[in-house]
Amino acid sequence: MSDVKAQLQEAFERTGLRQTPQRYDVLAWLVRHRKHATAEEIFDAVNRTNQRLSRATVYNALHALVESGLVRPVAGEGAAARFDATLDRHHHFICDRCGSIEDLTWFDLPSKAMQAAAGGRSVRQVEITLHGICQRCARGKTKQATASV
Amino acid sequence: MSDVKAQLQEAFERTGLRQTPQRYDVLAWLVRHRKHATAEEIFDAVNRTNQRLSRATVYNALHALVESGLVRPVAGEGAAARFDATLDRHHHFICDRCGSIEDLTWFDLPSKAMQAAAGGRSVRQVEITLHGICQRCARGKTKQATASV
DNA sequence: TCCAACTTTAGATTTAGTCTAAATAGTGTG
DNA sequence: CACACTATTTAGACTAAATCTAAAGTTGGA
């Protein structure tokens, strides 16, 4: 319990992210409930104990936490937004800064290890996305950015 | 040109998806423009040449195309919707049927090949998601589903 | 203590995506 | 070819998710 508390505090310090009660609550909830929650679920849950917590703050907190690497956004379900009609196999690269998506040439995966990790589940498709800074942005020609949520 | 046309027709036949002018236009546009477009961009573009094309139809068409494997949804930018506060490394499994997200134990990737594919880009993080049918759904205990876009 | 920067808040606003009911198009059968 | 049946499209209303805004509240450092 207080173990977790210490761990979280340490995490905030380590990343240099200012710790506010709201951010702490959001992170703590996410750590406690290991499900992959939506912003709305987090809002509802945290709001139940901490009455006046604004929806916008949940989004702010999540942004900040993702930014500093303590939380990872996962694209599930209908959260697609972009489409790709390629019939050839390839992977993707997404730029943290400008959000652009680029195709990468295909490389094979360790299917043995993958099968093991998948357990009994039947796998239809594997999706690999690398995140980082694209070459345009690296060269400082940053156009603009829309931060990821 | 007409080469592409034949290829697309072939693709429709192969997947058994009924070919309609709207679906054809959407797929053709996606093939021609290799960018990873949003539904809105596709709507705007296709609508420019094919005047009366409804927004809903673009979504319908995309659904159908994704369903039959001709188009792949890519989660970019703000399209996250779910969050995950884990400090331990892991991969994800998303069920096509019920949309649930499960954690998979970590397995290493072929970093050599990956580096090569990444070219000069600096990679901060790698994200791996397997798609398929989860064990609950496989057992027929399907609760319900929200189809992926 | 005071200031400046940062954060939170409530609620309005924007945007993406879905839904609906009616019209249209396509398919197979006799 | 006519028929009935099913699938698809349409416009626009609707819903839900996320962002924005301006004002109020916190915080840490000089």
Side-chain angles (χ1 to χ4, degrees):
Chain A
M1 263 291 155
S2 63
D3 218 21
V4 172
K5 199 164 185 175
Q7 199 187 335
L8 296 191
Q9 303 226 344
E10 196 273 325
F12 275 107
E13 279 165 31
R14 176 160 41 81
T15 61
L17 181 65
R18 184 192 281 187
Q19 178 183 333
T20 70
Q22 292 81 352
R23 284 176 187 167
Y24 181 90
D25 287 353
V26 167
L27 181 57
W29 190 89
L30 275 172
V31 169
R32 189 135 32 82
H33 305 77
R34 309 210 60 240
K35 51 186 301 209
H36 305 83
T38 64
E40 195 63 20
E41 286 170 342
I42 299 169
F43 171 71
D44 287 344
V46 176
N47 195 269
R48 203 163 302 131
T49 61
N50 179 353
Q51 215 38 232
R52 28 172 305 163
L53 166 77
S54 152
R55 197 174 310 268
T57 299
V58 171
Y59 283 98
N60 286 345
L62 287 170
H63 275 276
L65 291 166
V66 167
E67 190 86 7
S68 58
L70 296 175
V71 164
R72 175 154 70 132
V74 183
E77 235 191 304
R82 300 196 118 81
F83 300 87
D84 183 351
T86 53
L87 313 159
D88 56 328
R89 315 209 292 176
H90 64 267
H91 302 307
H92 287 127
F93 179 93
I94 301 185
C95 179
D96 288 335
R97 187 121 64 206
C98 68
S100 70
I101 303 178
E102 300 173 342
D103 290 349
L104 299 184
T105 59
W106 176 267
F107 54 88
D108 282 314
L109 295 165
S111 56
K112 262 285 174 35
M114 211 166 72
Q115 282 302 328
R121 288 167 273 249
S122 82
V123 177
R124 177 182 54 77
Q125 195 217 11
V126 185
E127 192 191 341
I128 302 201
T129 310
L130 312 196
H131 297 264
I133 304 294
C134 74
Q135 297 185 300
R136 266 178 56 81
C137 288
R139 271 194 238 97
K141 310 211 162 196
T142 311
K143 197 61 147 300
Q144 45 67 272
T146 313
S148 62
V149 166
Chain B
M1 265 289 155
S2 63
D3 218 19
V4 172
K5 199 164 186 175
Q7 199 186 335
L8 296 190
Q9 303 225 344
E10 196 275 323
F12 275 107
E13 278 165 33
R14 176 161 40 82
T15 61
L17 181 65
R18 184 193 280 186
Q19 178 183 332
T20 69
Q22 292 82 354
R23 284 176 187 166
Y24 181 90
D25 287 352
V26 168
L27 182 57
W29 190 89
L30 275 172
V31 169
R32 189 135 31 84
H33 306 77
R34 307 211 64 238
K35 53 185 299 206
H36 305 82
T38 64
E40 196 64 20
E41 286 170 341
I42 299 169
F43 171 70
D44 287 344
V46 177
N47 194 268
R48 203 161 303 130
T49 61
N50 178 353
Q51 214 36 234
R52 28 172 305 162
L53 166 78
S54 152
R55 196 174 312 267
T57 298
V58 171
Y59 283 97
N60 285 345
L62 286 170
H63 274 277
L65 290 166
V66 168
E67 190 86 7
S68 58
L70 296 176
V71 164
R72 176 153 70 132
V74 183
E77 234 192 305
R82 298 195 120 80
F83 300 88
D84 182 351
T86 53
L87 312 159
D88 57 328
R89 314 208 292 175
H90 63 267
H91 303 306
H92 287 126
F93 179 93
I94 300 186
C95 179
D96 289 335
R97 187 121 64 205
C98 69
S100 69
I101 303 179
E102 300 173 343
D103 289 349
L104 299 184
T105 59
W106 176 267
F107 55 88
D108 283 314
L109 295 166
S111 57
K112 261 285 174 37
M114 211 167 72
Q115 281 303 329
R121 289 166 273 248
S122 82
V123 177
R124 177 184 53 79
Q125 196 217 11
V126 185
E127 192 191 341
I128 302 199
T129 309
L130 312 195
H131 297 265
I133 304 295
C134 74
Q135 297 184 301
R136 267 176 57 82
C137 287
R139 273 195 237 96
K141 310 212 163 199
T142 311
K143 198 60 148 301
Q144 46 69 272
T146 314
S148 61
V149 167

